[in-house]
Amino acid sequence: LKDVQDLYVAHVKDALEKSENNDNQTGETGKTGSDTTKTSTVKVGTTFTAKNLVYKVTAKNTVTVSKASKKTLKTVDIPATVKYKNNTYKVTKVAAKAFASNKKLTKVTIGKNVTSIGKQAFKGDKKLKTIVFNGSKVPKFGKQAFTGIAAKATFKAPKKVLKKYKA
């Protein structure tokens, strides 16, 4: 029984230490009365899911869309920004093969901050027929980014930048 108690005490101490370390990592600051301001430090390389998309933190304020959280999505809206742990990140890239061979995908909307679409990002999405770009700058496209999508797919962009997309 003594061994079990010692093991339990050691486990509780370990849990408390981990809890204190996590509190220190979140950067709790500014305790004035009942007002507490928290900022989170998220490491580069961290992945998280928000609104059916999996993101990877690539820099202090930027993320890449890695993939859909489900292969059954019919529409995907890649936002300009995404919030995670009290931080707002610019979504700047779509990873290589992020949505490749997604059999049900029919429409994709790409946010204004996306500057790069990885190779084969939408390859083999046979039902993908509508791609909407919201940015004023044309993103860089990786090889075969849209190979194998619907034959009569339409690409839409803001009128003021449509010429840039056609070039």
Side-chain angles (χ1 to χ4, degrees), residues 42-46 56-64 88-90 92:
V42 179
K43 292 181 181 179
V44 171
T46 300
K56 183 175 183 177
V57 178
T58 55
K60 183 179 177 183
N61 295 317
T62 62
V63 294
T64 295
T88 301
Y89 297 94
K90 281 187 177 182
T92 58

Side-chain angles (χ1 to χ4, degrees), residues 59-77:
K60 183 179 177 183
N61 295 317
T62 62
V63 294
T64 295
V65 177
S66 301
K67 63 182 179 177
S69 60
K70 308 178 220 173
K71 282 275 194 182
T72 57
L73 295 178
K74 290 183 179 179
T75 61
V76 169
D77 183 18

Side-chain angles (χ1 to χ4, degrees), residues 13-29:
K13 284 182 181 179
D14 187 44
L16 285 171
E17 285 176 10
K18 285 180 181 177
S19 176
E20 287 174 4
N21 287 341
N22 286 342
D23 287 346
N24 290 338
Q25 287 176 357
T26 59
E28 190 171 320
T29 59

Side-chain angles (χ1 to χ4, degrees), residues 143-160:
K143 289 182 180 181
Q144 301 178 336
F146 292 98
T147 301
I149 64 173
K152 294 189 178 189
T154 56
F155 289 79
K156 299 177 182 179
K159 283 185 179 181
K160 63 184 178 182

